[in-house]
Amino acid sequence: MTGNVIFIDDDADLLSAQMQALELDGFSVRGFANAPDALKVITSAFDGVIVTDVRMPRMDGLTLFKRVRDIDPELPVILMTGHGDVPMAVQALKDGAYDFISKPFARDDLIQSVRRALQTRDLVMENRQLRQAHAALLDRENPAQNLLLGESPAMTYLKQVVVRVAEADVDALITGDTGVGKERVGRALHALSARKNRPFVHIGCATLTEDSFQPELFGIEAGHRPGAARVIGRFERANKGTVFLDEVEGLSLSQQAKLLRVLETREIWPVGSESPRSLDIRVVAATRTDLTQSVKDGQFRADLCYRLSGVSLRVPPLSERGDDIRLLFQHFLLNAATRLNRPPPKLTQTTQAYLSRHDWPGNVRELEQFAELCALGLDSAHLPADTNALGLAEQVSRYEEAVLRETLSQYAGNVREVISALKLPRKTFYDKITRYGISLDTYRGQ
C-alpha cells in the first residue's frame, strides 16, 4: 500500500532514518524538524497521515494534534511517545488521535500503524468525494431531474428519453424489474411536464377488486345511495394531471375493458351517473412483466397493450448501472441519516465490498433499504454471516476483487486503461482476474 505521510521529529537522525524506512516501503514522505513548519502544509484536503513526536521545542506533538483536529478532525495523527508520555498519549487517543507508538519501536510497528491510518483516511476521503459527487449530481435548478439519479450510460439515455416524452405529453408505459424505480420515472415524467402543478395520482392496480374498481377509480354519483354525497374517483382527482397505473398487469380482463374505454374516450361514468364526465388526464402505466407475452397467454387484452405501449420506457436494473450503485447508496444514506436525525456513518471497506459484490436482485428498492440499515447501524446483521469473521488474507482478497471490479466498470473493461490506473503489470492483472473469476465481457460496452 502506498500513501502520503507527514513525519515530524526534532531529532534529525531519527527523522532521516524513519523517513527512509517509510520510503523503502513505498510511502511518499515529507519530513519536518518542527511542528509550526508542518502546519503550514496541512489542510483538510491532505489525503495521508501525520506521524509526530510528542516532545519537541516550539510546539509539542499534543498541541500539534489539537491544531490538526481543528483543521480536520478526521485526519489521522500518530503520536511517537517516550515511556513517560504514555498516559498523555492514551488521553490523546480518547480525544481523537489515531494511534501512539512507544519509543523505541520496531520499524514494522510504525509501518503497520501508518498503513491502518491510511486505510482509514482513504475511506474518509472517498466518503467526501461521494458526497461531493452526490451534491454535484443534484440539479438544484431542476429538482424534477433528481428523481432519476445516475450517470451510467443506461441512465443517461433514460433521462434524455424522459425529458422528450414528458414534453410531448403522451401516454406512456414504463417497464422494468421489481424495485428498479418505475414510479420514480413516472413522477419524473409528470414533474418535467406542463402538468407538474396538477395532481399525480398513484393507483395500485393489483389491489383493485371487481367490486371496488369502478367506484374507486370513477367515483359514485350523489344520490346513488340515500343521503350519500358524491364520491370523486381517482381519475377525476387527477384531472389536468397524471394517473399512474402501477402493476397494470394485475388488472382482470373485465377491468382492462373498462380502462380501455376511458383511454379511448377520456370520459368516465361514475356509478349511478346518467352521463359521462370528460377528463384531461395523462396516463402512465408501469409493469414488471412482458405484456406482449401476457397477450399471447390470454391474460392481457391486445388492444389495451397496444394503447399503453405506444411510447415505452425501460428502466435498467442495477446490474446494468455500474458506479451508479455507489452514488445512489450515498444519496439514500444521507437522506436516511437526515430523516432519522443521525450522523451519516462512515463507509467501511466491508460495506464497499458488499456494494460491489452483491447482485441486488431487489434493485433500487433493496439498495435504499440497505442504506437505511447502515444509517441505523444495523448493516452488520444484514451483511453475509461470514463477512465479519474473515481473516486478514480473505479481507484483503475481497477488497482487491472489489477494486478490480470497480475499476473495470469505470473504464468499461478497457484493459489498457485499467492496468494503467491500477499500476499493475499485465501478467499480474490477468492472474488476478482469473483468480477471482472476473469476465471482461461483463464490463465491456457499459
Side-chain angles (χ1 to χ4, degrees):
M1 179 179 181
T2 60
N4 296 313
V5 180
I6 290 177
F7 200 98
I8 311 161
D9 200 308
D10 62 320
D11 185 326
D13 291 337
L14 189 147
L15 176 63
S16 176
Q18 297 302 336
M19 285 181 61
Q20 184 178 33
L22 289 166
E23 287 169 347
L24 287 172
D25 221 74
F27 300 103
S28 176
V29 189
R30 294 186 66 179
F32 295 89
N34 61 78
D37 286 346
L39 275 174
K40 294 176 183 177
V41 303
I42 296 173
T43 69
S44 61
F46 179 58
D47 60 358
V49 58
I50 297 168
V51 182
T52 181
D53 193 15
V54 170
R55 299 285 184 179
M56 294 185 295
R58 297 179 60 186
M59 181 187 294
D60 63 34
L62 294 176
T63 303
L64 170 69
F65 159 63
K66 292 175 183 177
R67 298 281 184 88
V68 170
R69 188 174 55 184
D70 291 338
I71 295 171
D72 184 347
E74 294 182 299
L75 211 168
V77 176
I78 299 172
L79 302 171
M80 298 180 294
T81 65
H83 179 69
D85 296 324
V86 169
M88 286 189 299
V90 171
Q91 182 58 47
L93 286 180
K94 295 179 180 178
D95 293 338
Y98 182 80
D99 197 5
F100 74 90
I101 309 174
S102 297
K103 295 180 179 178
F105 51 80
R107 171 181 173 274
D108 283 349
D109 291 343
L110 173 64
I111 298 297
Q112 293 303 319
S113 182
V114 168
R115 283 178 176 166
R116 291 193 300 270
L118 282 169
Q119 288 177 342
T120 299
R121 186 60 174 171
D122 284 346
L123 290 172
V124 167
M125 300 305 286
E126 183 166 359
N127 271 313
R128 290 180 183 176
Q129 289 169 3
L130 283 171
R131 291 190 188 189
Q132 290 169 0
H134 172 254
L137 199 61
L138 295 178
D139 187 346
R140 289 174 174 78
E141 297 296 323
N142 191 354
Q145 289 279 25
N146 299 335
L147 290 164
L148 304 176
L149 296 178
E151 295 180 324
S152 63
M155 281 305 295
T156 299
Y157 174 75
L158 177 62
K159 286 189 281 188
Q160 292 170 350
V161 173
V162 165
V163 171
R164 293 200 297 271
V165 174
E167 293 173 348
D169 197 36
V170 294
D171 293 345
L173 177 67
I174 303 171
T175 66
D177 298 339
T178 298
V180 293
K182 295 186 289 294
E183 184 177 348
R184 285 176 176 269
V185 174
R187 290 186 178 277
L189 284 171
H190 175 75
L192 291 168
S193 74
R195 300 176 182 270
K196 61 184 177 182
N197 295 321
R198 306 299 295 181
F200 177 92
V201 177
H202 178 283
I203 298 173
C205 297
T207 65
L208 297 171
T209 65
E210 295 297 336
D211 291 336
S212 69
F213 180 84
Q214 194 159 338
E216 189 168 336
L217 267 55
F218 307 147
I220 304 175
E221 190 64 36
H224 178 69
R225 295 172 297 181
R230 184 167 77 93
V231 176
I232 300 175
R234 294 194 189 184
F235 270 70
E236 191 171 352
R237 291 186 185 280
N239 194 32
K240 305 292 185 181
T242 302
V243 170
F244 181 75
L245 300 173
D246 197 8
E247 295 186 297
V248 70
E249 72 275 9
L251 295 175
S252 68
L253 289 173
S254 64
Q255 292 170 345
Q256 292 171 32
K258 295 171 184 175
L259 174 62
L260 177 63
R261 186 180 183 284
V262 173
L263 295 183
E264 290 177 337
T265 64
R266 262 17 185 207
E267 292 179 344
I268 58 169
W269 285 75
V271 176
S273 176
E274 296 182 356
S275 61
R277 285 195 177 89
S278 297
L279 295 179
D280 174 12
I281 56 171
R282 179 186 206 170
V283 176
V284 177
T287 179
R288 55 187 172 84
T289 64
D290 181 354
L291 289 187
T292 57
Q293 185 59 49
S294 297
V295 170
K296 293 177 183 178
D297 295 339
Q299 298 174 351
F300 205 85
R301 292 178 62 105
D303 46 8
L304 179 58
C305 177
Y306 299 144
R307 183 82 192 192
L308 291 172
S309 59
V311 174
S312 185
L313 299 89
R314 175 182 175 270
V315 186
L318 277 184
S319 59
E320 296 178 14
R321 297 183 57 180
D323 289 341
D324 282 356
I325 293 174
R326 298 169 70 85
L327 285 174
L328 285 169
F329 174 77
Q330 191 71 17
H331 170 73
F332 294 143
L333 185 65
L334 292 175
N335 283 353
T338 300
R339 188 177 69 256
L340 298 168
N341 196 28
R342 298 172 65 93
K346 295 178 182 178
L347 191 58
T348 65
Q349 290 181 9
T350 302
T351 302
Q352 287 187 80
Y354 183 71
L355 288 172
S356 299
R357 292 170 60 90
H358 190 54
D359 57 5
W360 302 105
N363 291 292
V364 175
R365 186 179 300 139
E366 182 185 0
L367 182 64
E368 186 170 12
Q369 291 170 347
F370 178 63
E372 184 153 317
L373 287 173
C374 290
L376 289 169
L378 302 176
D379 52 310
S380 59
H382 187 74
L383 294 171
D386 62 340
T387 301
N388 296 317
L390 298 175
L392 178 61
E394 182 63 17
Q395 290 184 49
V396 170
S397 293
R398 290 200 172 190
Y399 182 70
E400 183 177 64
E401 181 184 353
V403 170
L404 280 167
R405 291 185 180 276
E406 289 170 15
T407 311
L408 281 164
S409 179
Q410 179 181 352
Y411 292 102
N414 187 310
V415 171
R416 180 176 298 177
E417 291 183 354
V418 172
I419 286 174
S420 175
L422 296 178
K423 298 180 176 60
L424 285 175
R426 179 174 289 270
K427 183 180 183 304
T428 302
F429 168 77
Y430 280 106
D431 286 345
K432 289 183 182 297
I433 66 169
T434 300
R435 173 185 174 188
Y436 296 123
I438 298 173
S439 171
L440 295 177
D441 291 338
T442 303
Y443 299 92
R444 286 171 176 154
Q446 282 191 353

